[in-house]
Amino acid sequence: MNAILQVLPPSIRDVIAALPEEVRQRVEEIRIRENRPLEVVTAEGTGFVATGGRWGTRAERAYVPGREDCLKLLNLISQHSLYALEEELRRGYVTVDGGHRIGLAGKVVVENGKVKHLRDVTGFNIRLARQVKGSGKALIPYVFGPDRVENVLIVSPPQCGKTTLLRDLARIASTGEWGVKPRKVGIVDERSEIAGCLRGVPQHDVGPRTDVLDACPKAEGMMMMIRSMSPEILVVDEIGRKEDSEAVYEAVFAGVNLFVTAHGRSLDEICRRPGLTGLIREGVFSRVVLLSRRLRPGTIEGIYDSSLNRMDRERSVRARC
């Protein structure tokens, strides 16, 4: 939270800093929209923030950021140089100290059918990155063997802990904790969320044997990483496009193990996605982990083998694909 407070304009910083400690500790997102109520999202739900740190569901009492607030925030994020943010504005997000990501919304400038620039930025989604070391420990018996690493697909809807779990699995593999044999790890971090790089340096602990390609398209980055850094394990977030699947096949045929994630509310839903159904049916992933927020973000709802037979209960349950 301290790193986030540093990039907020004073008016918004004071409002957020005044929140009760128990609320600030649970903040997942701060949503700032020009001329609309200041919103804070926690694990328990969403609320609007009023001057003095009052937090509740009544929008009419909330602090309303104005144009000046948005301009100051953009200047603080860019360190008063929008030119330095040219690539980030095209992608629609910025990574700041601590690995926190700030999503941007505004008027999109399109050239030749592609996004060239984002201007008149009026919306900011500040997503607080929290590294949870040890979150992957429960998966160690299912993923790591003495001479073998399983190919892992982590599935869940947004904000259920996919990236947090993926990051910790990469760290465990690279560090060699809890009896795991250490291995070379390569992270292709298209959205700068896994390692949270700032100027190429990971802000999260992803292990001493880990190399990161930051802000690189997944499919191209996977091939670059294999050719240049010879990883034993390749880590990629949110696959799903056709080119992602093709790169996954190439990695598997090159003898590289994979830790990847994908959006989905269920295994049946994943099986219906054109970019993933072939990978699932051919058993590319020997471990499929389903997450939810049922108890808390990162709740493991099931661990499945390549045939989608459930492994984490005595009763064998097979998902249909």
Side-chain angles (χ1 to χ4, degrees), residues 151-204:
N151 293 326
V152 181
L153 171 64
I154 302 170
V155 177
S156 85
Q159 293 188 299
C160 288
K162 289 190 305 296
T163 304
T164 300
L165 180 57
L166 183 69
R167 181 188 302 124
D168 202 51
L169 285 177
R171 183 189 65 82
I172 290 170
S174 176
T175 304
E177 286 188 343
W178 297 301
V180 172
K181 178 183 175 181
R183 292 171 170 85
K184 294 181 293 181
V185 177
I187 296 177
V188 180
D189 204 357
E190 183 171 4
R191 302 186 306 162
S192 304
E193 281 195 307
I194 306 173
C197 286
L198 187 66
R199 293 182 290 276
V201 179
Q203 302 296 291
H204 296 300

Side-chain angles (χ1 to χ4, degrees), residues 2-73:
N2 288 333
I4 290 299
L5 292 175
Q6 297 304 311
V7 299
L8 294 177
S11 53
I12 298 177
R13 183 188 311 154
D14 292 344
V15 174
I16 297 297
L19 282 168
E21 177 67 18
E22 61 271 18
V23 175
R24 282 192 287 118
Q25 290 297 326
R26 301 196 305 270
V27 171
E28 294 181 352
E29 294 181 351
I30 301 171
R31 290 183 172 265
I32 300 166
R33 304 175 178 96
E34 185 176 327
N35 296 330
R36 283 173 287 173
L38 178 63
E39 183 184 16
V40 165
V41 179
T42 71
E44 289 75 28
T46 180
F48 300 103
V49 188
T51 303
R54 296 188 302 276
W55 183 67
T57 58
R58 300 187 64 174
E60 64 270 17
R61 295 183 177 180
Y63 179 82
V64 178
R67 183 59 182 160
E68 190 66 21
D69 287 318
C70 292
L71 288 174
K72 286 181 179 178
L73 176 54

Side-chain angles (χ1 to χ4, degrees), residues 108-182:
V108 175
V109 178
V110 178
E111 186 176 274
N112 298 324
K114 295 184 178 180
V115 175
K116 179 183 179 182
H117 191 63
L118 184 67
R119 71 181 190 192
D120 299 331
V121 179
T122 58
F124 304 82
N125 178 22
I126 303 174
R127 297 185 62 181
L128 276 72
R130 288 190 173 92
Q131 182 159 19
V132 184
K133 292 186 178 182
S135 59
K137 187 176 181 179
L139 293 180
I140 288 177
Y142 300 96
V143 175
F144 300 100
D147 300 305
R148 179 178 174 83
V149 177
E150 306 294 343
N151 293 326
V152 181
L153 171 64
I154 302 170
V155 177
S156 85
Q159 293 188 299
C160 288
K162 289 190 305 296
T163 304
T164 300
L165 180 57
L166 183 69
R167 181 188 302 124
D168 202 51
L169 285 177
R171 183 189 65 82
I172 290 170
S174 176
T175 304
E177 286 188 343
W178 297 301
V180 172
K181 178 183 175 181

